[in-house]
PDB file of all heavy atoms in Angstrom:
ATOM      1  N   ARG J 231     -56.992   4.482   7.692  1.00  0.00           N
ATOM      2  CA  ARG J 231     -56.434   4.968   6.417  1.00  0.00           C
ATOM      3  C   ARG J 231     -55.693   6.285   6.608  1.00  0.00           C
ATOM      4  O   ARG J 231     -54.644   6.507   6.007  1.00  0.00           O
ATOM      5  CB  ARG J 231     -57.563   5.133   5.392  1.00  0.00           C
ATOM      6  CG  ARG J 231     -58.099   3.816   4.853  1.00  0.00           C
ATOM      7  CD  ARG J 231     -58.893   4.035   3.576  1.00  0.00           C
ATOM      8  NE  ARG J 231     -60.059   4.873   3.788  1.00  0.00           N
ATOM      9  CZ  ARG J 231     -61.272   4.415   4.161  1.00  0.00           C
ATOM     10  NH1 ARG J 231     -61.434   3.118   4.360  1.00  0.00           N
ATOM     11  NH2 ARG J 231     -62.277   5.234   4.330  1.00  0.00           N
ATOM     12  N   LEU J 232     -56.225   7.148   7.465  1.00  0.00           N
ATOM     13  CA  LEU J 232     -55.561   8.431   7.724  1.00  0.00           C
ATOM     14  C   LEU J 232     -54.202   8.191   8.386  1.00  0.00           C
ATOM     15  O   LEU J 232     -53.184   8.797   8.014  1.00  0.00           O
ATOM     16  CB  LEU J 232     -56.435   9.316   8.604  1.00  0.00           C
ATOM     17  CG  LEU J 232     -55.815  10.671   9.019  1.00  0.00           C
ATOM     18  CD1 LEU J 232     -55.514  11.515   7.794  1.00  0.00           C
ATOM     19  CD2 LEU J 232     -56.763  11.413   9.969  1.00  0.00           C
ATOM     20  N   ALA J 233     -54.211   7.279   9.374  1.00  0.00           N
ATOM     21  CA  ALA J 233     -52.949   6.991  10.064  1.00  0.00           C
ATOM     22  C   ALA J 233     -51.930   6.401   9.091  1.00  0.00           C
ATOM     23  O   ALA J 233     -50.734   6.727   9.132  1.00  0.00           O
ATOM     24  CB  ALA J 233     -53.194   6.021  11.223  1.00  0.00           C
ATOM     25  N   GLU J 234     -52.376   5.513   8.196  1.00  0.00           N
ATOM     26  CA  GLU J 234     -51.458   4.918   7.222  1.00  0.00           C
ATOM     27  C   GLU J 234     -50.954   5.961   6.241  1.00  0.00           C
ATOM     28  O   GLU J 234     -49.771   5.984   5.877  1.00  0.00           O
ATOM     29  CB  GLU J 234     -52.168   3.784   6.481  1.00  0.00           C
ATOM     30  CG  GLU J 234     -51.319   3.065   5.441  1.00  0.00           C
ATOM     31  CD  GLU J 234     -50.157   2.326   6.063  1.00  0.00           C
ATOM     32  OE1 GLU J 234     -50.153   2.129   7.301  1.00  0.00           O
ATOM     33  OE2 GLU J 234     -49.242   1.937   5.310  1.00  0.00           O
ATOM     34  N   ALA J 235     -51.871   6.846   5.819  1.00  0.00           N
ATOM     35  CA  ALA J 235     -51.466   7.908   4.895  1.00  0.00           C
ATOM     36  C   ALA J 235     -50.436   8.828   5.555  1.00  0.00           C
ATOM     37  O   ALA J 235     -49.451   9.237   4.941  1.00  0.00           O
ATOM     38  CB  ALA J 235     -52.687   8.716   4.449  1.00  0.00           C
ATOM     39  N   GLN J 236     -50.685   9.141   6.845  1.00  0.00           N
ATOM     40  CA  GLN J 236     -49.726   9.988   7.555  1.00  0.00           C
ATOM     41  C   GLN J 236     -48.378   9.280   7.699  1.00  0.00           C
ATOM     42  O   GLN J 236     -47.317   9.898   7.595  1.00  0.00           O
ATOM     43  CB  GLN J 236     -50.278  10.364   8.937  1.00  0.00           C
ATOM     44  CG  GLN J 236     -51.438  11.351   8.886  1.00  0.00           C
ATOM     45  CD  GLN J 236     -51.860  11.799  10.263  1.00  0.00           C
ATOM     46  OE1 GLN J 236     -51.352  11.297  11.261  1.00  0.00           O
ATOM     47  NE2 GLN J 236     -52.791  12.746  10.312  1.00  0.00           N
ATOM     48  N   ARG J 237     -48.445   7.951   7.959  1.00  0.00           N
ATOM     49  CA  ARG J 237     -47.194   7.197   8.110  1.00  0.00           C
ATOM     50  C   ARG J 237     -46.400   7.209   6.808  1.00  0.00           C
ATOM     51  O   ARG J 237     -45.186   7.419   6.800  1.00  0.00           O
ATOM     52  CB  ARG J 237     -47.487   5.761   8.532  1.00  0.00           C
ATOM     53  CG  ARG J 237     -46.238   4.942   8.833  1.00  0.00           C
ATOM     54  CD  ARG J 237     -46.585   3.498   9.084  1.00  0.00           C
ATOM     55  NE  ARG J 237     -47.078   2.865   7.876  1.00  0.00           N
ATOM     56  CZ  ARG J 237     -46.293   2.429   6.886  1.00  0.00           C
ATOM     57  NH1 ARG J 237     -44.977   2.590   6.970  1.00  0.00           N
ATOM     58  NH2 ARG J 237     -46.794   1.860   5.808  1.00  0.00           N
ATOM     59  N   ILE J 238     -47.130   6.982   5.689  1.00  0.00           N
ATOM     60  CA  ILE J 238     -46.461   6.957   4.387  1.00  0.00           C
ATOM     61  C   ILE J 238     -45.891   8.335   4.041  1.00  0.00           C
ATOM     62  O   ILE J 238     -44.773   8.461   3.538  1.00  0.00           O
ATOM     63  CB  ILE J 238     -47.425   6.462   3.298  1.00  0.00           C
ATOM     64  CG1 ILE J 238     -47.795   4.990   3.573  1.00  0.00           C
ATOM     65  CG2 ILE J 238     -46.816   6.630   1.905  1.00  0.00           C
ATOM     66  CD1 ILE J 238     -48.880   4.466   2.659  1.00  0.00           C
ATOM     67  N   ALA J 239     -46.666   9.361   4.348  1.00  0.00           N
ATOM     68  CA  ALA J 239     -46.242  10.728   3.999  1.00  0.00           C
ATOM     69  C   ALA J 239     -45.334  11.333   5.053  1.00  0.00           C
ATOM     70  O   ALA J 239     -44.823  12.438   4.865  1.00  0.00           O
ATOM     71  CB  ALA J 239     -47.470  11.624   3.822  1.00  0.00           C
ATOM     72  N   HIS J 240     -45.127  10.591   6.159  1.00  0.00           N
ATOM     73  CA  HIS J 240     -44.352  11.130   7.271  1.00  0.00           C
ATOM     74  C   HIS J 240     -44.934  12.462   7.730  1.00  0.00           C
ATOM     75  O   HIS J 240     -44.202  13.410   8.023  1.00  0.00           O
ATOM     76  CB  HIS J 240     -42.879  11.308   6.882  1.00  0.00           C
ATOM     77  CG  HIS J 240     -42.216  10.046   6.438  1.00  0.00           C
ATOM     78  ND1 HIS J 240     -42.013   8.977   7.274  1.00  0.00           N
ATOM     79  CD2 HIS J 240     -41.743   9.664   5.228  1.00  0.00           C
ATOM     80  CE1 HIS J 240     -41.426   8.001   6.623  1.00  0.00           C
ATOM     81  NE2 HIS J 240     -41.257   8.372   5.370  1.00  0.00           N
ATOM     82  N   LEU J 241     -46.256  12.506   7.786  1.00  0.00           N
ATOM     83  CA  LEU J 241     -46.962  13.739   8.136  1.00  0.00           C
ATOM     84  C   LEU J 241     -47.909  13.433   9.287  1.00  0.00           C
ATOM     85  O   LEU J 241     -48.837  12.619   9.143  1.00  0.00           O
ATOM     86  CB  LEU J 241     -47.741  14.287   6.933  1.00  0.00           C
ATOM     87  CG  LEU J 241     -48.483  15.605   7.146  1.00  0.00           C
ATOM     88  CD1 LEU J 241     -47.477  16.737   7.304  1.00  0.00           C
ATOM     89  CD2 LEU J 241     -49.412  15.879   5.971  1.00  0.00           C
ATOM     90  N   GLY J 242     -47.652  14.022  10.413  1.00  0.00           N
ATOM     91  CA  GLY J 242     -48.513  13.825  11.574  1.00  0.00           C
ATOM     92  C   GLY J 242     -49.462  14.993  11.753  1.00  0.00           C
ATOM     93  O   GLY J 242     -49.230  16.090  11.250  1.00  0.00           O
ATOM     94  N   SER J 243     -50.538  14.748  12.478  1.00  0.00           N
ATOM     95  CA  SER J 243     -51.509  15.822  12.745  1.00  0.00           C
ATOM     96  C   SER J 243     -51.717  15.958  14.248  1.00  0.00           C
ATOM     97  O   SER J 243     -51.516  14.999  15.008  1.00  0.00           O
ATOM     98  CB  SER J 243     -52.850  15.519  12.055  1.00  0.00           C
ATOM     99  OG  SER J 243     -53.398  14.300  12.541  1.00  0.00           O
ATOM    100  N   PHE J 244     -52.109  17.157  14.669  1.00  0.00           N
ATOM    101  CA  PHE J 244     -52.333  17.397  16.086  1.00  0.00           C
ATOM    102  C   PHE J 244     -53.512  18.343  16.251  1.00  0.00           C
ATOM    103  O   PHE J 244     -53.944  19.030  15.314  1.00  0.00           O
ATOM    104  CB  PHE J 244     -51.070  17.984  16.736  1.00  0.00           C
ATOM    105  CG  PHE J 244     -50.740  19.372  16.256  1.00  0.00           C
ATOM    106  CD1 PHE J 244     -51.257  20.499  16.889  1.00  0.00           C
ATOM    107  CD2 PHE J 244     -49.918  19.560  15.151  1.00  0.00           C
ATOM    108  CE1 PHE J 244     -50.955  21.774  16.429  1.00  0.00           C
ATOM    109  CE2 PHE J 244     -49.607  20.829  14.696  1.00  0.00           C
ATOM    110  CZ  PHE J 244     -50.133  21.944  15.335  1.00  0.00           C
ATOM    111  N   GLU J 245     -54.033  18.371  17.488  1.00  0.00           N
ATOM    112  CA  GLU J 245     -55.182  19.244  17.820  1.00  0.00           C
ATOM    113  C   GLU J 245     -55.042  19.624  19.288  1.00  0.00           C
ATOM    114  O   GLU J 245     -54.848  18.753  20.145  1.00  0.00           O
ATOM    115  CB  GLU J 245     -56.497  18.514  17.570  1.00  0.00           C
ATOM    116  CG  GLU J 245     -57.724  19.320  17.942  1.00  0.00           C
ATOM    117  CD  GLU J 245     -59.011  18.529  17.714  1.00  0.00           C
ATOM    118  OE1 GLU J 245     -59.396  18.399  16.547  1.00  0.00           O
ATOM    119  OE2 GLU J 245     -59.564  18.019  18.695  1.00  0.00           O
TER     120      GLU J 245
END
Side-chain angles (χ1 to χ4, degrees):
R231 287 197 298 272
L232 177 61
E234 181 65 15
Q236 289 186 355
R237 185 187 67 79
I238 295 172
H240 302 295
L241 182 69
S243 61
F244 67 89
E245 178 182 284

